[in-house]
Amino acid sequence: MIDVVVDIILLTFLATTSIAIMRMTNLFATVMLFGIFSLLSAGLFVVMDAPDVAFTEAAVGAGISTVLMLATLALVKRPKEPYYDEAPQAHTAWLPLIVVIVTGSALVYGTWDIPNFGSPDAPSQTHVARFYLENSMPDTGVPNTVTAVLASYRGFDTLGEVTVIFTAAVAVLLLIGGKRPKPALKTEDEEAQDEA
Amino acid sequence: MRPNLILHVIAKFVIPLIILFALYVQFHGDFGPGGGFQAGVIFSAAFILYSLVFGLETAEKIIPHHWLRILASLGVVIYAGVGIESLILGSNYLDYTLLGSNQIAGQHLGILLVELGVGITVAAAMLILFFAFAGRGRE
């Protein structure tokens, strides 16, 4: 019962935050609201008994990515007045509204066939989950099944993930890391002329 | 950067707690929620908080850039090295059973080392990302 109440409160906050993000024009406020959005999603993951995912969402979504966005905002110059004129509206607001309503109702219709949350005969529970739950403790002696699957059963998968993170760091270093070269004051031809 | 007494005192109080929590998530990941990835991110969050409050130059004195690059590669090497070690011992790649005296001990050691590799790489990679973005504004 308490789960339902917390779910409703969190989802209401999520909807409010996303509407506020859409209507906000101040980039700083938008970044902050994105952080709040991630924190609310982390709360939802806790309610759904997935603390591992909640940890990641809170630390990466609400923490690191907000800081990275702020660091980027500090680099981007923000003029007081927009330097462009608002484009004249080429279409009425009805068309997007209808598209959104049709897509949304199709998605809601799709959820009718999905088994209930935590239902034992859901396809995700009947395939390999049963094997992991029954065998992870005798096989690895690790009570946290998530860790057992992540590091032992699917260790090769996780090695790939770590390599992806390493590659991302290398790519960022190559793109924007290190010192920027100072613009050359004279071209090589001019220097050659000076020396001559 | 103008020094702010409240920020400095609170940050000095909170940063050790964040690092302690990161170590708990890292080494207790077998039993509680969490693991290498989460621990690495929390660990780097402590250093990011430090550099936000005390300035980038001070933070770079604690962890120089070339250290971060070595650490990011070291994590991947630890992870892949555990796999090669199990190959040398005569089992499949990343099959930890032969690392210890029995299956449970081997799996335990393997998972601990692998998660350590994940944590080191993630923490170093996050800090590299942060310093790369934040360092651009100084020039």
Side-chain angles (χ1 to χ4, degrees):
Chain A
M1 183 59 207
I2 189 75
D3 279 13
V4 179
V5 176
V6 174
D7 267 342
I8 290 173
I9 293 173
L10 282 176
L11 285 170
T12 316
F13 273 124
L14 266 188
T16 320
T17 316
S18 38
I19 291 171
I21 288 174
M22 272 193 299
R23 303 202 64 85
M24 197 70 72
T25 50
N26 185 341
L27 284 179
F28 181 78
T30 311
V31 170
M32 285 303 163
L33 283 174
F34 269 127
I36 294 173
F37 191 90
S38 288
L39 203 60
L40 290 168
S41 323
L44 274 176
F45 289 136
V46 173
V47 178
M48 288 191 279
D49 288 333
D52 292 85
V53 191
F55 258 137
T56 317
E57 181 66 41
V60 178
I64 306 269
S65 68
T66 309
V67 171
L68 287 184
M69 294 267 229
L70 286 180
T72 315
L73 263 191
L75 296 180
V76 180
K77 290 196 179 67
R78 276 167 293 166
K80 289 272 189 293
E81 298 283 321
Y83 61 90
Y84 51 87
D85 294 326
E86 283 279 316
Q89 209 166 12
H91 54 79
T92 54
W94 289 107
L95 183 66
L97 187 65
I98 290 170
V99 170
V100 166
I101 287 176
V102 168
T103 319
S105 24
L107 287 174
V108 171
Y109 176 72
T111 61
W112 287 354
D113 275 346
I114 294 179
N116 284 328
F117 178 69
S119 142
D121 50 335
S124 60
Q125 311 285 352
T126 53
H127 190 45
V128 287
R130 191 184 178 83
F131 173 84
Y132 287 140
L133 288 178
E134 281 172 355
N135 291 302
S136 74
M137 196 59 191
D139 276 356
T140 63
V142 169
N144 185 357
T145 317
V146 176
T147 304
V149 173
L150 200 81
S152 184
Y153 289 109
R154 300 203 176 174
F156 199 61
D157 219 20
T158 313
L159 177 63
E161 281 170 31
V162 177
T163 317
V164 166
I165 293 166
F166 175 67
T167 315
V170 171
V172 168
L173 269 183
L174 285 176
L175 283 173
I176 63 171
K179 296 268 184 294
R180 266 188 293 181
K182 293 213 171 61
L185 294 173
K186 289 176 181 175
T187 60
E188 285 180 12
D189 290 342
E190 285 170 341
E191 278 180 17
Q193 281 175 1
D194 286 352
E195 285 167 14
Chain B
M1 184 180 280
R2 204 163 52 90
N4 186 329
L5 185 66
I6 297 176
L7 272 182
H8 281 204
V9 171
I10 296 291
K12 278 189 176 171
F13 174 70
V14 164
I15 286 169
L17 293 181
I18 298 177
I19 293 178
L20 192 66
F21 183 62
L23 291 176
Y24 167 77
V25 171
Q26 171 80 51
F27 293 111
H28 208 254
D30 313 359
F31 299 93
F37 189 84
Q38 291 89 336
V41 176
I42 296 172
F43 198 81
S44 67
F47 282 100
I48 289 177
L49 176 63
Y50 183 86
S51 54
L52 285 180
V53 174
F54 294 96
L56 275 180
E57 281 80 11
T58 334
E60 277 166 7
K61 276 181 204 150
I62 299 178
I63 354 168
H65 282 289
H66 56 276
W67 274 36
L68 284 178
R69 293 173 197 184
I70 293 171
L71 282 176
S73 342
L74 180 73
V76 182
V77 170
I78 289 178
Y79 201 134
V82 172
I84 290 174
E85 174 68 22
S86 54
L87 268 187
I88 291 172
L89 289 174
S91 57
N92 291 328
Y93 191 69
L94 287 174
D95 184 357
Y96 318 128
T97 307
L98 292 181
L99 290 178
S101 49
N102 57 29
Q103 185 181 356
I104 299 287
Q107 291 282 344
H108 218 82
L109 184 66
I111 290 177
L112 195 77
L113 286 174
V114 157
E115 293 274 13
L116 189 67
V118 176
I120 292 174
T121 293
V122 169
M126 291 296 162
L127 284 173
I128 286 175
L129 292 187
F130 172 72
F131 283 133
F133 273 89
R136 290 287 276 192
R138 284 178 299 181
E139 293 154 47

